[in-house]
Amino acid sequence: MPTCSIIFPLKMEHILDRSAIRSSNRQCLFDSSDSHLPFAKAPPLKIMNIERRSNMEDEYIRRHHRHMVKDNQCSSSLVKLIKAPVNLVWSLVRRFDQPQRYKPFVSRCVVQGDLEIGSVREVNVRSGLPATTSKERLELLDDEEHIFAVKIVGGDHRLRNYSSIITVHPEVIDGRPGTIVIESFVVDVPDGNTKDETCFFVEALIRCNLKSLADVSERLALQGHTEPIDPI
């Protein structure tokens, strides 16, 4: 399983794969003081001149990644290019019951009931994060449009009212079938933290998950796997 360099809660090493991950063109400066806050402050980092998204990616976000953002919440979206066929990537993303197939921070997952909209999973989180468990509900699973949405409804962590949407889109990369993966989220900003700090924390986790998804998918593609891992 690929690993990502994140250390919690006293320090968070930023993960920026500028060659393959695109985020919103926010400019922000983080203060590393006051490490007692709910989310550890990020080390000083100024994000500038991040590669702009393409018009098609912006259209995907406009069409599928709509969040109702309240005053006490933050939201963002990230894009990952993966050199593997879309059906292969989607077969990993859609497995609500097996997020550990590519998410490096998940050690165990148990689903209550059948795999359908409204199903709930209990996720155990590996050590190294300021969390131990997460309870998550499946909000949307569209195999035709390749849309996957989850909402956190409980657990031992600081991500309150967290919802995420993942969409998977076909793309040609270096003349071969590839995939665009877009993940967006909305979450409450905890007392004592700013919107920038909260977004930075969540974006770092998503970047790590997307990098791991790319590593797993591209390794399978190199081994000759071009079809879904499991039948849909």
Side-chain angles (χ1 to χ4, degrees):
M1 175 69 67
T3 59
C4 297
S5 180
I6 299 183
I7 302 175
F8 296 103
L10 297 179
K11 179 181 178 183
M12 179 162 62
E13 297 178 1
H14 66 276
I15 304 170
L16 289 177
D17 183 0
R18 287 186 173 85
S19 65
I21 295 182
R22 304 174 187 141
S23 180
S24 54
N25 293 322
R26 295 184 296 113
Q27 295 185 4
C28 47
L29 183 65
F30 297 91
D31 182 3
S32 61
S33 61
D34 299 330
S35 61
H36 64 280
L37 295 179
F39 287 153
K41 295 273 188 171
L45 168 67
K46 195 168 185 179
I47 301 177
M48 300 182 65
N49 299 323
I50 292 179
E51 182 180 1
R52 295 186 62 83
R53 294 189 294 243
S54 70
N55 291 335
M56 181 59 70
E57 291 163 3
D58 284 335
E59 175 61 21
Y60 290 145
I61 292 171
R62 185 196 65 78
R63 188 185 310 166
H64 302 298
H65 295 261
R66 298 178 180 178
H67 296 279
M68 297 294 294
V69 184
K70 300 178 181 178
D71 290 341
N72 67 326
Q73 294 182 317
C74 69
S75 181
S76 185
S77 59
L78 297 95
V79 179
K80 179 70 175 178
L81 304 182
I82 299 179
K83 296 179 180 179
V86 65
N87 288 336
L88 174 61
V89 177
W90 173 246
S91 70
L92 293 168
V93 170
R94 72 178 302 279
R95 289 304 299 262
F96 179 72
D97 60 329
Q98 295 186 19
Q100 65 270 32
R101 282 193 170 190
Y102 74 90
K103 291 189 174 184
F105 301 123
V106 175
S107 61
R108 182 172 178 267
C109 175
V110 177
V111 175
Q112 302 172 4
D114 297 329
L115 287 175
E116 57 186 11
I117 304 304
S119 294
V120 174
R121 68 186 180 190
E122 297 275 357
V123 172
N124 289 352
V125 180
R126 296 183 186 277
S127 62
L129 289 177
T132 57
T133 62
S134 181
K135 188 175 183 179
E136 304 166 359
R137 184 174 65 232
L138 180 61
E139 300 286 285
L140 179 61
L141 179 60
D142 189 329
D143 284 317
E144 292 187 3
E145 295 289 334
H146 295 162
I147 306 172
F148 179 83
V150 171
K151 180 178 178 64
I152 292 181
V153 295
D156 175 27
H157 52 72
R158 299 292 299 181
L159 299 180
R160 303 306 177 196
N161 294 315
Y162 179 91
S163 295
S164 71
I165 299 173
I166 303 177
T167 58
V168 177
H169 312 273
E171 179 65 289
V172 176
I173 303 175
D174 297 334
R176 296 178 178 274
T179 302
I180 297 173
V181 179
I182 302 174
E183 183 164 357
S184 63
F185 70 90
V186 62
V187 67
D188 287 359
V189 177
D191 293 339
N193 285 101
T194 68
K195 291 185 178 182
D196 277 341
E197 290 159 359
T198 306
C199 269
F200 183 93
F201 177 89
V202 178
E203 286 174 356
L205 296 179
I206 292 176
R207 285 189 178 95
C208 192
N209 286 336
L210 292 179
K211 182 181 184 302
S212 182
L213 175 62
D215 290 344
V216 173
S217 301
E218 290 172 0
R219 182 173 66 251
L220 289 170
L222 286 175
Q223 293 172 355
H225 295 279
T226 58
E227 298 301 319
I229 299 302
D230 299 308
I232 295 175

